[in-house]
């Protein structure tokens, strides 16, 4: 028997003999700045690894001593679509089938503070979530669901004030007091400016809103989590694990400081803060990420003066990755979601949402949603993963990876602090730019086949069966919402409503009082979501993001690649013939702010030699058409993720015709189910690219379309 632990050096000697002609260094891997060795030993364990206890500071091994051995994580599936009545039926069925809490998805019109009758939201109503315009809608959403018994998570940031106000009033009218409410409001605005883009107001007044929500719930709803600090959307936008950790925790520190600036003692509210992380396919990295997050948050809260151990616990919800889902061979997504769910569980999440396999195509059907929920039930009841607390604790690899992630994140957090904190870093656009670079680098690796995606860049199937998808009739939903809005406005006490809205404006203008408290009074007077949002916008203004195209990443990644060179040469020849580069406008229409795909295409096409114009977020079809005419582009690339394409793309093509530029090539990329392809082609769309499309293949197709149309003129 050995009288001492084996070492990496001893293993390396054996491995080099086995590898012969292959250098050992080729087995090293880089996970976004974290170097991973092919084998780990006792010497790799951090000094304090053996001292960690579950349920004790710094909570690396979990926030409760008994974790799932005593109580499994909460199954909290994120859902919402069409009208409140339809979503309510879905929620009640889910609760009957074993779901333990609700997680509400709101439509993009609601997120952006618009009522359903606003002209800018024609393609968005009821599409990516449920439409909520009034207290009446909120009451319908929870009809028959006792809000003093069921916890409710609401993913809402930009319009957090009216949504939270309407939730509180709906509960009151159900007979439930504020102090009985349990659940979470996301209320994490800083990450919206970085990645998700469903902001309304500029950063500084938005931070005031965050603080007011925390302050109000601390006083009135002690069982309700006033903020869910989200790394999920950074993960989905392409952030590395280190970036997701550092930027999320730096956001959290900023929110704590905002609450402290309102005179709140940190231990009075910190126990109600929660987090939200995305879980991808790098299994052990994701496990270590959650462990490192708890370790780092305990350190941060120590620095901020927390004394109660509960204030230092990082409690988190997790969601499996949407970006990892593929439209190609989509049943593989069931396997991906299962692997990601297991990583979240072994990492110690408190609640979990598992994505449905068809979400790269459309909103989930009842069938796919049942499989997603049952994935968690199988893990809880059949896989025996709940029997032992932190079963990977003590693993050489997991402990070393946890420590390495934590240290790399500490360095990045210190850099943010040196810039003056996260609000200033966000205003300068630094985190957003770094995440976009990471996303472009990963896409280049996938396109080159260096990172294998089964069914996409390797092991493709020739003939894929059509997958049934959920279709939302936006026109029908919008018509219902508009009628209901008109009825609310007709029957309310108009003078009282306008008085409450005026008081809200005054609170905002004078920088005094609590905005959520004022909005609750307006909601009681039946002010609509759009009216409450507009009252704040009258004072704060509406924020517009600055778009920019990063360059060089694809060019560097594809150095000496013959396919890349062939496209670049064709574009150079185009320039030689016409005296200009082929020009493309990348457009985001409607209220969908997810722009990862648009930014990646803009970056890659610019490096190839296209003249790329990146349009503003949230444009209408007539605005895009006007921009295309002014710029004189050859093509428009429409990026769509929120199912608005059936409304918005035909409107765009009609608007181009009205301007006499109907010859402009229109391309659509994003989440478009196969069932919609022929509809879009009949409208005049030249090419449709789904999630996972190789960027070079797309570039070839686009230049072919442009040259073909020019030759036919």
């Amino acid at each position: 028997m050995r009288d001492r632990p084996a070492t990496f050096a001893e293993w390396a000697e054996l491995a080099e003999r086995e590898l012969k002609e292959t250098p050992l260094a080729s087995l090293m891997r880089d996970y976004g700045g974290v170097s991973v060795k092919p084998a780990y030993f006792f010497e790799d364990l951090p000094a304090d690894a053996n001292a960690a206890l579950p349920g004790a500071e710094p909570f690396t091994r979990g926030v409760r001593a008994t974790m799932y051995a005593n109580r499994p994580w909460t199954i909290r599936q994120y859902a919402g679509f069409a009208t409140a009545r339809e979503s309510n039926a879905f929620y009640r069925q889910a609760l009957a089938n074993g779901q333990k809490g609700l997680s509400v998805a709101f439509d993009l019109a609601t997120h952006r503070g618009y009522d359903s009758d606003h002209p800018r939201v024609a393609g968005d109503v009821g599409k990516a979530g449920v439409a909520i315009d009034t207290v009446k809608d909120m009451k319908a959403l929870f009809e028959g669901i006792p809000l003093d018994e069921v916890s409710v998570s609401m993913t809402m940031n930009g319009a957090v004030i009216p949504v939270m106000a309407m939730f509180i009033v709906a509960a009151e009218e159900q007979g439930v007091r504020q102090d009985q409410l349990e659940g979470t409001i996301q209320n994490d605005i800083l990450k919206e400016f970085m990645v998700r883009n469903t902001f309304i107001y500029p950063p500084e007044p938005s931070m005031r809103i965050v603080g007011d929500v925390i302050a109000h719930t601390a006083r009135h709803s002690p069982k309700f989590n006033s903020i869910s600090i989200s790394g999920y959307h950074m993960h989905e936008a392409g952030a590395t694990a280190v970036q997701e950790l550092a930027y999320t925790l730096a956001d959290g520190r900023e929110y704590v400081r905002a609450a402290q600036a309102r005179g709140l003692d940190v231990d009075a509210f910190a126990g109600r803060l929660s987090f939200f992380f995305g879980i991808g396919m790098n299994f052990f990295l994701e496990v270590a990420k959650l462990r490192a997050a708890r370790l780092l948050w305990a350190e941060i809260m120590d620095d901020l003066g927390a004394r109660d151990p509960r204030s230092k616990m990082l409690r988190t919800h997790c969601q499996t990755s949407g970006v990892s889902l593929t439209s190609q061979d989509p049943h593989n997504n069931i396997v991906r979601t299962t692997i990601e769910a297991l990583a979240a569980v072994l990492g110690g999440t408190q609640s979990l949402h598992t994505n449905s396999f068809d979400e790269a195509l459309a909103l989930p059907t009842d069938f796919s949603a049942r499989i997603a929920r049952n994935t968690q039930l199988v893990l809880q009841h059949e896989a025996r993963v709940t029997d032992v607390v932190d079963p990977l604790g003590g693993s050489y690899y997991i402990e070393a990876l946890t420590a390495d992630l934590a240290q790399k994140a500490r360095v990045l957090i210190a850099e943010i602090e040196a810039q003056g904190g996260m609000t200033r870093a966000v205003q300068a656009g630094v985190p957003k730019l770094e995440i976009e670079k990471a996303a472009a680098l990963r896409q280049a690796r996938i396109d080159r086949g260096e990172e294998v995606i089964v069914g996409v860049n390797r092991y493709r199937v020739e003939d894929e069966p059509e997958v049934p998808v959920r279709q939302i009739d936006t026109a029908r939903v919008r018509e219902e919402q508009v009628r209901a809005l008109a009825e609310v406005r007709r029957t309310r006490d108009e003078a009282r409503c306008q008085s409450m809205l005026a008081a809200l404006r005054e609170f905002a203008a004078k920088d005094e009082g609590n905005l959520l408290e004022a909005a609750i009074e307006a909601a009681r007077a039946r002010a609509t979501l759009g009216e409450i949002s507009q009252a704040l916008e009258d004072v704060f203004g509406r924020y517009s993001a600055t778009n920019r195209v990063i360059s060089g990443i694809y060019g560097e990644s594809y150095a000496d690649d013959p396919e890349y060179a062939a496209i670049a040469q064709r574009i150079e020849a185009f320039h030689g013939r016409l005296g200009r580069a082929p020009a493309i406008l990348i457009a985001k229409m409607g209220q969908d702010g997810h722009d990862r795909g648009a930014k990646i295409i803009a970056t890659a096409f610019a490096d190839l030699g296209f003249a790329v114009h990146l349009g503003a977020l949230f444009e209408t079809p007539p605005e895009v058409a006007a921009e295309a005419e002014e710029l004189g582009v050859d093509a428009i690339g429409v990026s769509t993720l929120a199912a608005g394409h059936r409304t918005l793309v035909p409107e765009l093509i009609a608007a181009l015709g009205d301007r006499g530029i109907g010859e402009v090539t229109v391309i659509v990329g994003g989440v478009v189910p196969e069932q919609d392809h022929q509809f879009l082609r009949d409208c005049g769309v030249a090419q449709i690219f789904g999630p996972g499309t190789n960027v070079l293949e797309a570039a070839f197709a686009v230049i072919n379309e442009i040259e073909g149309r020019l030759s036919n003129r």
Side-chain angles (χ1 to χ4, degrees), residues 436-437 439-445 447 548-558 563-565 567-568 571 582 584 586 595-614 693-700 702:
E436 288 172 4
K437 288 179 182 176
L441 279 169
R442 180 164 187 255
Q443 188 62 46
R445 289 197 304 272
D447 288 346
R548 53 186 170 183
V549 179
I550 57 177
S551 62
I553 290 176
Y554 266 78
E556 292 172 9
S557 300
Y558 277 88
E563 185 181 5
Y564 184 92
I567 303 174
I571 293 170
I584 184 168
I586 308 295
D595 60 354
R596 174 179 179 166
K599 292 288 183 66
I600 285 173
I601 290 295
T603 296
F605 277 40
D607 282 0
L608 283 164
F610 283 87
V612 175
H613 304 278
L614 190 57
T693 298
N694 183 286
V695 173
L696 294 190
E697 292 176 6
F700 259 126
V702 171

Side-chain angles (χ1 to χ4, degrees), residues 460-464:
R460 296 184 185 182
V461 295
E462 293 300 320
D463 298 312
E464 295 187 33

